[in-house]
């Protein structure tokens, strides 16, 4: 099947795009995002959609400025709008004790969401492919993840009321490379993707090839089937958890969520854990960096006296106060007074 047909079929199956949509594409200039841009350009006339491109210069590499201009030229050739931003990610990561990947993800999503609001885009499209999905499953597994982590990357997800779609998840990296050659796209290449000092690259270049050679040459297809099953069951559990959450939530805001602890403690352990994770994800900008070890720490303070607090990644704080479980982004008032 042609790459475009796989792209279009996946979009229709997952209901990612509708006639009249205004979509902002995150384009780095690499093979994945350039393929996505080219495919969306062809799709735009068929489905009567409007597309534009966002590119962030992270200032990681000396080639970054040239890559930004390359993306701008590509957009000019296609006749579509291109929004360029520049941000010093290395300094931001250092100042906020974040990994380069975490910092880049946060700033990129901040910019994308601001453009959605300012220019009334309906959704953001990101170019993660089938290989990225499988690598993400391995990464999540090695870190110790919940069921949702084994589902990998969602085809569509809602983050802070912003819809994010991943339309290339049915297309492999080899198919993307071939497509770029066939269509003469000449993408930019980030050489750091080849360096095995990074965990994801070790999974990409060492672990997956070894498994395919020594254990199962159909690893990718097997894992895709597995993630599809897991996502179906995870979605069902999420619906149940949302029903329970609606019954026990006392206050829900952008900065603070308060849950009735008396009702919460009587729930099944599976539901308590899922509600805990989902509540934190409502406050965080991205569904990441919170793991089972954090939930175990929360359980410890629930079994102690009131006013015990715990800090979680992403500036999230959790406190038990009498019959309330308070989950907050930022500091509690008493923390501020101490500063």
């Amino acid at each position: 099947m042609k790459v475009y047909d796989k792209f279009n079929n996946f979009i229709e199956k997952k209901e990612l795009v509708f006639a009249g949509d205004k979509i902002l594409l995150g384009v780095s200039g690499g093979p994945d995002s350039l393929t996505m841009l080219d495919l969306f350009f062809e799709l735009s006339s068929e489905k009567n959609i409007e597309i534009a491109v966002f590119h962030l210069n992270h200032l990681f590499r000396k080639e970054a400025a040239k890559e930004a201009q390359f993306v701008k030229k590509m957009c000019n050739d296609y006749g579509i709008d291109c929004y360029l931003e520049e941000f010093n990610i290395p300094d931001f990561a250092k100042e906020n004790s974040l990994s380069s990947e975490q910092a880049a993800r946060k700033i990129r999503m901040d910019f994308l969401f601001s453009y959605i609001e300012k220019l009334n885009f309906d959704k953001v499209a990101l170019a993660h492919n089938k290989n990225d999905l499988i690598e993400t499953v391995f990464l999540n597994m090695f870190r110790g993840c919940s069921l949702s982590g084994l589902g990998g990357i969602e085809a569509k997800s809602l983050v802070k009321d912003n819809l994010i779609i991943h339309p290339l998840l049915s297309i492999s990296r080899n198919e993307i490379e071939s497509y770029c050659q066939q269509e003469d796209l000449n993408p930019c290449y980030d050489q750091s993707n080849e360096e095995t000092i990074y965990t994801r690259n070790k999974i990409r270049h060492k672990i997956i090839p070894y498994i395919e050679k020594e254990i199962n040459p159909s690893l990718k297809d097997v894992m895709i089937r597995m993630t599809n099953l897991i996502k179906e069951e995870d979605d069902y559990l999420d619906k149940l958890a949302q029903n329970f959450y609606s019954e026990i939530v006392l206050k829900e805001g952008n900065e603070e969520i308060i849950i009735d602890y008396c009702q919460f403690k009587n729930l099944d352990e599976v539901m308590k854990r899922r509600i805990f994770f989902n509540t934190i994800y409502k406050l965080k900008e991205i569904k990441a960096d919170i793991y089972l070890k954090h939930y175990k720490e929360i359980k410890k303070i629930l079994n102690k006296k009131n006013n015990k607090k715990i800090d979680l990644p992403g500036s999230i704080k959790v406190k038990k106060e009498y019959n309330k479980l308070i989950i907050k982004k930022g500091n509690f008032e008493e923390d501020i007074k101490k500063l």
Side-chain angles (χ1 to χ4, degrees):
M1 184 183 293
K2 292 182 178 180
V3 169
Y4 178 78
D5 292 332
K6 293 184 73 171
F7 171 75
N8 196 16
N9 290 346
F10 186 77
I11 281 176
E12 291 184 355
K13 180 181 178 182
K14 299 294 184 178
E15 299 181 330
L16 303 184
V17 175
F18 301 96
D21 274 350
K22 186 177 179 183
I23 307 173
L24 183 60
L25 314 181
V27 176
S28 66
D32 301 342
S33 61
L34 216 57
T35 294
M36 182 178 70
L37 171 58
D38 194 70
L39 293 170
F40 261 117
F41 182 74
E42 185 173 347
L43 186 73
S44 61
S45 58
E46 290 185 16
K47 289 192 177 291
N48 187 31
I49 60 174
E50 180 182 343
I51 60 172
V53 162
F54 169 79
H55 174 86
L56 176 63
N57 178 353
H58 302 85
L59 298 179
F60 275 128
R61 296 172 289 111
K62 60 182 181 180
E63 303 91 353
K66 290 183 179 178
E67 291 170 359
Q69 292 307 308
F70 170 76
V71 171
K72 184 176 181 180
K73 182 182 182 304
M74 289 293 297
C75 291
N76 288 339
D77 293 342
Y78 284 114
I80 61 176
D81 291 333
C82 180
Y83 305 102
L84 300 179
E85 293 286 354
E86 183 177 294
F87 196 94
N88 194 320
I89 299 294
D91 285 354
F92 178 81
K94 185 177 181 180
E95 292 166 4
N96 292 274
S97 301
L98 297 171
S99 69
S100 297
E101 185 180 53
Q102 289 172 330
R105 184 175 57 208
K106 172 174 171 46
I107 298 303
R108 182 171 63 249
M109 298 313 293
D110 283 348
F111 275 122
L112 286 167
F113 292 162
S114 69
Y115 274 102
I116 283 184
E117 183 177 354
K118 287 187 297 185
L119 301 175
N120 296 314
F121 285 98
D122 296 300
K123 58 195 69 172
V124 166
L126 302 179
H128 297 91
N129 60 47
K130 180 191 287 188
N131 296 60
D132 293 320
L133 188 157
I134 293 165
E135 292 161 12
T136 298
V137 171
F138 275 109
L139 272 174
N140 292 342
M141 181 176 66
F142 294 151
R143 290 168 177 165
C145 64
S146 62
L147 189 63
S148 60
L150 293 178
I153 302 170
E154 296 282 355
K156 58 183 175 182
S157 57
L158 200 62
V159 181
K160 295 292 184 181
D161 296 324
N162 298 293
L163 184 58
I164 301 173
I165 63 173
H166 293 95
L168 299 189
L169 291 180
S170 66
I171 302 171
S172 71
R173 188 168 292 125
N174 286 340
E175 289 174 311
I176 287 171
E177 294 284 355
S178 297
Y179 183 87
C180 288
Q181 291 180 0
Q182 292 167 10
E183 301 299 321
D184 197 26
L185 295 181
N186 298 313
C188 304
Y189 285 91
D190 182 355
Q191 295 304 315
S192 66
N193 287 331
E194 305 301 318
E195 298 174 3
T196 55
I197 60 172
Y198 302 109
T199 303
R200 180 178 287 273
N201 288 353
K202 290 177 182 177
I203 293 170
R204 176 181 301 175
H205 298 299
K206 293 186 175 182
I207 294 176
I208 291 177
Y210 177 83
I211 294 174
E212 288 178 324
K213 180 181 178 181
E214 301 292 338
I215 300 174
N216 188 347
S218 300
L219 173 69
K220 294 185 180 67
D221 291 334
V222 168
M223 290 193 67
I224 291 298
R225 290 199 297 271
M226 180 195 77
T227 60
N228 288 335
L229 287 172
I230 287 174
K231 286 172 185 174
E232 287 181 6
E233 297 189 3
D234 192 47
D235 287 345
Y236 175 73
L237 288 172
D238 263 346
K239 289 177 182 177
L240 289 180
Q242 181 58 40
N243 291 336
F244 284 115
Y245 171 82
S246 299
E247 294 175 1
I248 67 175
V249 64
L250 300 174
K251 175 186 174 183
E252 182 179 87
N254 293 329
E255 302 295 325
E256 181 181 74
I257 294 174
I258 301 177
I259 288 174
D260 185 326
Y261 176 67
C262 294
Q263 293 188 66
F264 176 81
K265 70 179 181 180
N266 291 325
L267 294 174
D268 183 89
E269 186 66 22
V270 171
M271 281 296 112
K272 284 196 288 189
R273 189 166 56 239
R274 185 165 289 262
I275 288 172
F276 164 72
F277 284 122
N278 289 352
T279 301
I280 289 177
Y281 296 150
K282 289 176 186 290
L283 298 177
K284 286 173 64 65
E285 296 163 348
I286 46 178
K287 196 171 182 178
D289 307 326
I290 301 294
Y291 305 108
L292 183 60
K293 64 180 181 181
H294 300 117
Y295 176 71
K296 290 181 177 179
E297 291 300 314
I298 296 300
K299 287 181 67 177
K300 290 179 183 179
I301 71 168
L302 294 181
N303 294 325
K304 295 181 180 179
K305 294 181 180 180
N306 295 317
N307 296 320
K308 295 292 183 181
K309 300 189 295 290
I310 188 168
D311 294 343
L312 298 176
S315 300
I316 299 293
K317 296 181 185 291
V318 180
K319 178 172 72 170
K320 175 190 172 188
E321 188 175 89
Y322 300 105
N323 64 341
K324 298 177 182 177
L325 180 60
I326 305 172
I327 302 173
K328 185 177 180 65
K329 187 174 183 180
N331 294 317
F332 289 105
E333 290 185 4
E334 61 265 30
D335 296 327
I336 297 174
K337 291 175 184 176
K338 292 177 183 178
L339 297 178

